[in-house]
Amino acid sequence: MASKAALSTSGDERKLRDSVRLVDAFATEVIRQRHKLGASSGSDLLSRFMGSISDDRYLRDIVVSFMLAGRDTVASALTAFFLLLSDHPEAAAAIRDEVSRVNAGDDDDDDRAACFGSRLKDMHYVHAALYESMRLFPPVQFDSKFAAGDDTLPDGTAVTKGTRVTYHAYAMGRMESVWGPDCAEFRPERWLRGGRFVPVSPYRYPVFQAGVRVCVGKDLALMEMKAVIVAVVRSFDVETVGRSSRRPKFAPGLTATFAGGLPVRVRRRARAVSGHSPPPKSNTPTTEE
């Protein structure tokens, strides 16, 4: 039995090595192609890094970070967002109202105009709802840093060089001392002042880290998620199904996920005509799952 377990482990480790080689080869090819085109020919993040970094191994690590960190964290954040939106239909209605207002006078069928470009910047409620969702369910629940030298934390705790210091964004987002007595509630309005999104200190809301270590893909990730939210909420109703408890289990890991996934029922919405509300739904709505 022991020999079989060892053989299985060896097989898994071999698959892992092969997978790492595949990812490395892809990243190396991306860098080679960019070198061939010339770093100065593009304005993308990789080109900007290549303008100041000559170490291809370091560049490879950056490309791998883009591929893995960006994909999984965005997926995790959007999953949590649609879970919360299913529980708060008033937030979905507010998003639709804002999208209609920002795109007033445009062709209703022009989804791309609603989702991309500078108009996303004018959707302050969408931004607030997304930030509020990530406050409660941050894609990266905790992170660690190592002290480069002896230091003292603001509360007086001494930290010696080489000490690993971990902060827990998930716990911080649910602390009454940080967010007030309604810290457990999903309330996008807490981010709005006069209808405009107002951020707080990144050290209070460390979802994208802070200081010199702030996430380099923050703006790109926010744009991606807002575009998806606007496109989906504008045209569909998303309802969670098959929930045995009020909340699915939020599974910790390098990137947080919901254990067992998040089953949902998706219904296409009838389009509003000339600014009027959509007609009442049929008793037998089309359901896409």
Side-chain angles (χ1 to χ4, degrees), residues 147-163:
D150 294 343
D151 206 345
T152 303
L153 298 181
D155 67 350
T157 302
V159 178
T160 58
K161 180 180 179 179
T163 299

Side-chain angles (χ1 to χ4, degrees), residues 5-18:
L7 182 61
S8 175
T9 301
S10 176
D12 290 342
E13 291 175 351
R14 184 162 49 250
K15 290 179 182 177
L16 175 61
R17 285 195 300 270
D18 291 342

Side-chain angles (χ1 to χ4, degrees), residues 3-4 8 11 21 23 48 55 64 156 206 208 218 231 240 248 252-253 272:
S3 60
K4 287 185 178 179
S8 175
R21 290 193 190 101
V23 171
R48 294 182 181 183
D55 184 347
V64 171
F208 292 101
K218 172 185 174 182
T240 56

Side-chain angles (χ1 to χ4, degrees), residues 81 95 98-99 123-131 226 229-230:
F81 181 87
I95 289 174
E98 181 173 68
V99 172
M123 297 180 186
H124 294 274
Y125 187 88
V126 173
H127 201 110
L130 179 57
Y131 258 61
K226 288 167 69 175
I229 289 167
V230 170

Side-chain angles (χ1 to χ4, degrees), residues 225-239:
M225 290 188 286
K226 288 167 69 175
V228 170
I229 289 167
V230 170
V232 172
V233 175
R234 189 176 187 230
S235 301
F236 300 94
D237 287 319
V238 180
E239 175 189 4

Side-chain angles (χ1 to χ4, degrees), residues 188-270:
E189 292 77 14
R190 77 174 75 243
W191 297 90
L192 299 172
R193 299 290 182 275
R196 300 186 67 83
F197 175 81
V198 178
V200 300
S201 166
Y203 295 98
R204 178 184 174 192
Y205 181 82
V207 171
F208 292 101
Q209 303 197 51
V212 297
R213 299 296 182 185
V214 69
C215 174
V216 296
K218 172 185 174 182
D219 291 339
L220 175 62
L222 287 171
M223 183 186 71
E224 286 183 63
M225 290 188 286
K226 288 167 69 175
V228 170
I229 289 167
V230 170
V232 172
V233 175
R234 189 176 187 230
S235 301
F236 300 94
D237 287 319
V238 180
E239 175 189 4
T240 56
V241 297
R243 288 161 59 176
S244 57
S245 62
R246 187 173 183 275
R247 279 279 180 272
K249 183 179 179 181
F250 200 45
L254 184 61
T255 300
T257 58
F258 288 99
L262 184 69
V264 300
R265 178 177 293 110
V266 180
R267 292 188 177 93
R268 184 179 294 277
R269 292 174 54 80

Side-chain angles (χ1 to χ4, degrees), residues 2-283:
S3 60
K4 287 185 178 179
L7 182 61
S8 175
T9 301
S10 176
D12 290 342
E13 291 175 351
R14 184 162 49 250
K15 290 179 182 177
L16 175 61
R17 285 195 300 270
D18 291 342
S19 297
V20 169
R21 290 193 190 101
L22 181 62
V23 171
D24 282 347
F26 176 79
T28 300
E29 179 61 18
V30 169
I31 295 169
R32 189 187 72 80
Q33 291 291 341
R34 179 54 64 187
H35 275 309
K36 186 176 179 180
L37 292 173
S40 61
S41 65
S43 59
D44 56 277
L45 286 173
L46 179 57
S47 295
R48 294 182 181 183
F49 276 115
M50 291 177 70
S52 58
I53 299 172
S54 58
D55 184 347
D56 279 1
R57 186 175 181 83
Y58 186 26
L59 288 171
R60 181 210 63 187
D61 291 343
I62 291 173
V63 172
V64 171
S65 294
F66 287 166
M67 289 192 301
L68 302 184
R71 185 199 69 172
D72 292 346
T73 51
V74 166
S76 174
L78 287 173
T79 300
F81 181 87
F82 284 107
L83 164 67
L84 289 167
L85 208 64
S86 176
D87 287 345
H88 297 84
E90 72 283 358
I95 289 174
R96 293 185 187 109
D97 287 344
E98 181 173 68
V99 172
S100 296
R101 184 173 64 254
V102 171
N103 292 282
D106 287 339
D107 184 351
D108 285 339
D109 291 328
D110 190 358
D111 285 323
R112 288 175 296 181
C115 300
F116 301 105
S118 61
R119 294 180 185 179
L120 284 175
K121 297 179 182 179
D122 296 328
M123 297 180 186
H124 294 274
Y125 187 88
V126 173
H127 201 110
L130 179 57
Y131 258 61
E132 180 72 345
S133 173
M134 291 190 292
R135 177 182 70 84
L136 293 170
F137 293 106
V140 180
Q141 293 179 305
F142 56 88
D143 199 359
S144 300
K145 307 296 179 189
F146 289 88
D150 294 343
D151 206 345
T152 303
L153 298 181
D155 67 350
T157 302
V159 178
T160 58
K161 180 180 179 179
T163 299
R164 178 177 181 173
V165 180
T166 300
Y167 64 91
H168 206 293
Y170 181 91
M172 290 175 65
R174 295 163 182 270
M175 292 175 64
E176 186 172 334
S177 60
V178 177
W179 296 100
D182 62 350
C183 60
E185 298 177 18
F186 175 72
R187 198 169 66 81
E189 292 77 14
R190 77 174 75 243
W191 297 90
L192 299 172
R193 299 290 182 275
R196 300 186 67 83
F197 175 81
V198 178
V200 300
S201 166
Y203 295 98
R204 178 184 174 192
Y205 181 82
V207 171
F208 292 101
Q209 303 197 51
V212 297
R213 299 296 182 185
V214 69
C215 174
V216 296
K218 172 185 174 182
D219 291 339
L220 175 62
L222 287 171
M223 183 186 71
E224 286 183 63
M225 290 188 286
K226 288 167 69 175
V228 170
I229 289 167
V230 170
V232 172
V233 175
R234 189 176 187 230
S235 301
F236 300 94
D237 287 319
V238 180
E239 175 189 4
T240 56
V241 297
R243 288 161 59 176
S244 57
S245 62
R246 187 173 183 275
R247 279 279 180 272
K249 183 179 179 181
F250 200 45
L254 184 61
T255 300
T257 58
F258 288 99
L262 184 69
V264 300
R265 178 177 293 110
V266 180
R267 292 188 177 93
R268 184 179 294 277
R269 292 174 54 80
R271 285 296 183 89
V273 179
S274 302
H276 297 292
S277 299
K281 291 182 181 178
S282 161
N283 291 328

